[in-house]
Amino acid sequence: MTVSAVILAAGRSSRFEDGHKLLAEIDGIPIVRRVCQALAASDVADIVLVTSEANGTVATTAGPGRWRVAENPDARDGLSTSLRTGLKSISQDADGLLVALADMPAISTELVNALVSAFRSNPAAIVFPVASDGRRGHPILWPKSLFPELMTVTGDSGGRAILTSHQALWRPVPCDDEGAFADIDTRADLEAFKARDQAMRRK
């Protein structure tokens, strides 16, 4: 059972003041590289990092590792274009696709492995983390049967509509790890993330 992964990192980061959020560092490691490293240490077989420029700052900041870069020149047309770019770039042997967002710096290897394990037990399912309060998180693992539908998405919603229309396929994985729900859009988000992280370490 082969699971490929796509990391969506082609956004403009327009809400992040004075810089690009994926280049911001946490514990000395840029956010985009943190996400890449978490997936690289996991059980996914194939990793594609989708950026707006193959040799741009996001791609070069991610650095070398067990991932390759796919360029999305249409990134300004929304998240869906990066999803399609990733789908076109993964291994043709993939039975499932794990879609991760590059602005979620606390996605853990353990979470990714839990999702992959749940998918291997039910390879027709859509697998994603869910909090005890019902919040759905990321990454989301999609079965191959839905790849054609994912290729049809448009705009900036990713696969949200497809997820909603296939609730019978949902296999949520209980998750108490806030990293599955915390993304960075603004500098305020980044500072709040760092403060929570420090508080957790002191416990």
Side-chain angles (χ1 to χ4, degrees):
M1 186 66 58
T2 302
V3 174
S4 291
V6 166
I7 303 172
L8 304 181
R12 288 179 291 170
S13 188
S14 57
R15 294 172 56 193
F16 195 81
E17 305 86 351
D18 302 318
H20 196 298
K21 62 184 178 181
L22 300 185
L23 310 183
E25 295 185 355
I26 297 173
D27 293 335
I29 302 174
I31 289 174
V32 64
R33 185 162 177 81
R34 284 174 63 102
V35 177
C36 287
Q37 287 178 330
L39 267 66
S42 77
D43 294 333
V44 297
D46 182 39
I47 305 170
V48 175
L49 175 67
V50 180
T51 65
S52 59
E53 297 177 87
N55 297 306
T57 54
V58 172
T60 55
T61 299
R66 194 173 71 82
W67 53 84
R68 64 185 187 282
V69 175
E71 180 176 337
N72 174 18
D74 301 316
R76 288 179 177 272
D77 294 331
L79 192 69
S80 61
T81 63
S82 290
L83 181 57
R84 293 199 299 271
T85 297
L87 269 167
K88 293 175 184 176
S89 304
I90 62 172
S91 168
Q92 295 301 302
D93 297 329
D95 300 295
L97 175 67
L98 182 131
V99 179
L101 305 180
D103 63 357
M104 299 185 70
I107 290 175
S108 68
T109 300
E110 292 75 18
L111 171 60
V112 172
N113 284 345
L115 298 176
V116 171
S117 178
F119 178 77
R120 285 175 173 163
S121 297
N122 194 334
I126 305 171
V127 180
F128 53 86
V130 63
S132 56
D133 61 7
R135 287 176 297 155
R136 298 196 302 270
H138 291 272
I140 299 176
L141 211 169
W142 300 88
K144 190 167 191 169
S145 63
L146 293 181
F147 288 4
E149 283 190 57
L150 291 172
M151 286 295 294
T152 69
V153 297
T154 58
D156 206 37
S157 63
R160 191 178 307 152
I162 297 173
L163 183 67
T164 301
S165 66
H166 289 284
Q167 295 188 32
L169 298 181
W170 288 9
R171 296 298 183 273
V173 173
C175 178
D176 293 325
D177 184 351
E178 194 59 32
F181 311 96
D183 63 342
I184 305 295
D185 284 323
T186 66
R187 287 203 176 271
D189 292 338
L190 178 62
E191 294 310 314
F193 178 91
K194 289 180 177 180
R196 288 195 302 270
D197 188 50
Q198 289 297 320
M200 289 296 294
R201 293 185 191 188
R202 287 195 294 267
K203 287 185 177 180

Short mmCIF file of all heavy atoms in Angstrom, two decimals, residues 33 37 54-55 102 109 166 168 183 187 198-199:
data_model
loop_
_atom_site.label_atom_id
_atom_site.label_comp_id
_atom_site.label_asym_id
_atom_site.label_seq_id
_atom_site.Cartn_x
_atom_site.Cartn_y
_atom_site.Cartn_z
N ARG A 33 10.59 24.02 6.08
CA ARG A 33 11.50 22.89 6.28
C ARG A 33 11.03 21.99 7.42
O ARG A 33 11.18 20.77 7.37
CB ARG A 33 12.93 23.37 6.53
CG ARG A 33 13.94 22.21 6.63
CD ARG A 33 15.37 22.65 6.45
NE ARG A 33 16.28 21.53 6.63
CZ ARG A 33 16.56 20.62 5.69
NH1 ARG A 33 15.99 20.73 4.50
NH2 ARG A 33 17.39 19.63 5.94
N GLN A 37 10.51 18.07 6.89
CA GLN A 37 11.24 17.10 7.70
C GLN A 37 10.30 16.14 8.42
O GLN A 37 10.61 14.94 8.56
CB GLN A 37 12.12 17.83 8.71
CG GLN A 37 13.33 18.51 8.09
CD GLN A 37 14.16 19.28 9.10
OE1 GLN A 37 13.64 19.79 10.10
NE2 GLN A 37 15.45 19.37 8.86
N ALA A 54 10.24 26.86 -8.93
CA ALA A 54 11.06 25.69 -8.64
C ALA A 54 12.35 26.06 -7.92
O ALA A 54 12.85 25.31 -7.08
CB ALA A 54 11.38 24.94 -9.92
N ASN A 55 12.89 27.24 -8.22
CA ASN A 55 14.13 27.68 -7.60
C ASN A 55 13.93 28.96 -6.78
O ASN A 55 14.87 29.71 -6.55
CB ASN A 55 15.22 27.91 -8.66
CG ASN A 55 15.57 26.64 -9.39
OD1 ASN A 55 15.91 25.64 -8.77
ND2 ASN A 55 15.46 26.66 -10.71
N ALA A 102 1.83 23.62 4.15
CA ALA A 102 3.19 24.00 4.58
C ALA A 102 3.20 25.05 5.68
O ALA A 102 4.25 25.31 6.27
CB ALA A 102 3.98 24.53 3.38
N THR A 109 5.47 13.76 12.75
CA THR A 109 5.67 12.47 12.09
C THR A 109 4.71 11.43 12.66
O THR A 109 4.16 10.61 11.92
CB THR A 109 7.13 12.02 12.28
OG1 THR A 109 7.99 12.99 11.70
CG2 THR A 109 7.37 10.67 11.63
N HIS A 166 -18.51 13.36 0.30
CA HIS A 166 -18.19 11.94 0.47
C HIS A 166 -18.07 11.57 1.96
O HIS A 166 -17.16 10.86 2.36
CB HIS A 166 -16.88 11.60 -0.24
CG HIS A 166 -16.99 11.61 -1.73
ND1 HIS A 166 -17.61 10.60 -2.44
CD2 HIS A 166 -16.59 12.53 -2.65
CE1 HIS A 166 -17.55 10.88 -3.73
NE2 HIS A 166 -16.95 12.05 -3.89
N ALA A 168 -19.60 9.48 3.66
CA ALA A 168 -19.66 8.03 3.92
C ALA A 168 -18.26 7.40 3.93
O ALA A 168 -18.08 6.31 4.49
CB ALA A 168 -20.52 7.35 2.88
N ASP A 183 -2.44 26.64 12.13
CA ASP A 183 -1.69 27.15 10.98
C ASP A 183 -1.21 28.56 11.26
O ASP A 183 -1.64 29.21 12.22
CB ASP A 183 -2.54 27.10 9.71
CG ASP A 183 -3.77 28.00 9.80
OD1 ASP A 183 -4.16 28.39 10.93
OD2 ASP A 183 -4.34 28.33 8.75
N ARG A 187 1.88 37.35 11.62
CA ARG A 187 2.94 37.37 12.65
C ARG A 187 2.34 37.14 14.03
O ARG A 187 2.97 36.54 14.90
CB ARG A 187 3.72 38.67 12.60
CG ARG A 187 4.64 38.76 11.41
CD ARG A 187 5.78 39.75 11.61
NE ARG A 187 6.68 39.71 10.47
CZ ARG A 187 7.71 38.91 10.33
NH1 ARG A 187 8.00 38.05 11.31
NH2 ARG A 187 8.48 38.95 9.26
N GLN A 198 6.27 27.20 23.98
CA GLN A 198 7.10 27.38 25.18
C GLN A 198 6.36 26.95 26.43
O GLN A 198 6.93 26.33 27.34
CB GLN A 198 7.54 28.85 25.29
CG GLN A 198 8.56 29.27 24.25
CD GLN A 198 9.86 28.49 24.39
OE1 GLN A 198 10.33 28.22 25.50
NE2 GLN A 198 10.45 28.12 23.27
N ALA A 199 5.06 27.26 26.48
CA ALA A 199 4.26 26.87 27.65
C ALA A 199 4.17 25.34 27.78
O ALA A 199 4.26 24.80 28.88
CB ALA A 199 2.86 27.47 27.52
#
